[in-house]
Amino acid sequence: MSKVSEDERLSAAAAATLGQLEGLDERFGAMTSAADAIEALLDAGSVPAARLVEAKHELAQLNGDLEKFQFTQLDALEVADLSSGKADARARRKGLHAEVERLHERALALH
């Protein structure tokens, strides 16, 4: 059995973290698409009252999903222990945090 060097292990850890970030980015993209669909519906003009109520519920759910996503998944992603890929992972996580905040504000404004 060969012993993996620390650099190889950290590189694997960095790759795993960056992969997790990619998955989080995809999930965030789905939430953005949901917000876009709701916004398009509301911008369309005359929306039946029942559909408007449903859209408001969807926005409330989206707000909750965004908070859960940010605080239980994005914040849980460890980058401090990385040596290789650390700067990239931090920058991507920070950028995703900013995007989540913007979408959260947008969803609140629509609600």
Side-chain angles (χ1 to χ4, degrees):
M1 176 165 53
S2 67
K3 190 173 184 179
V4 176
S5 73
E6 185 174 348
D7 287 342
E8 290 172 347
R9 184 179 58 78
L10 291 174
S11 294
T17 298
L18 292 172
Q20 288 175 319
L21 276 166
E22 188 67 33
L24 292 174
D25 195 40
E26 289 174 14
R27 283 204 60 214
F28 177 72
M31 288 187 266
T32 301
S33 294
D36 292 345
I38 295 168
E39 186 171 29
L41 173 74
L42 296 175
D43 288 346
S46 62
V47 178
R51 181 62 185 114
L52 185 59
V53 169
E54 186 180 315
K56 295 289 186 177
H57 287 295
E58 290 170 12
L59 283 168
Q61 182 64 48
L62 178 62
N63 280 320
D65 290 347
L66 281 167
E67 287 182 7
K68 183 178 179 182
F69 175 79
Q70 185 172 20
F71 298 122
T72 65
Q73 295 177 9
L74 193 54
D75 284 348
L77 192 63
E78 292 290 330
V79 297
D81 294 337
L82 301 178
S83 60
S84 65
K86 185 177 192 172
D88 185 33
R90 275 193 172 159
R92 288 177 65 185
R93 186 177 71 175
K94 185 176 181 177
L96 194 50
H97 264 292
E99 289 181 48
V100 168
E101 285 298 321
R102 281 192 295 275
L103 183 58
H104 186 68
E105 289 171 10
R106 185 174 143 213
L108 287 174
L110 288 171
H111 194 262

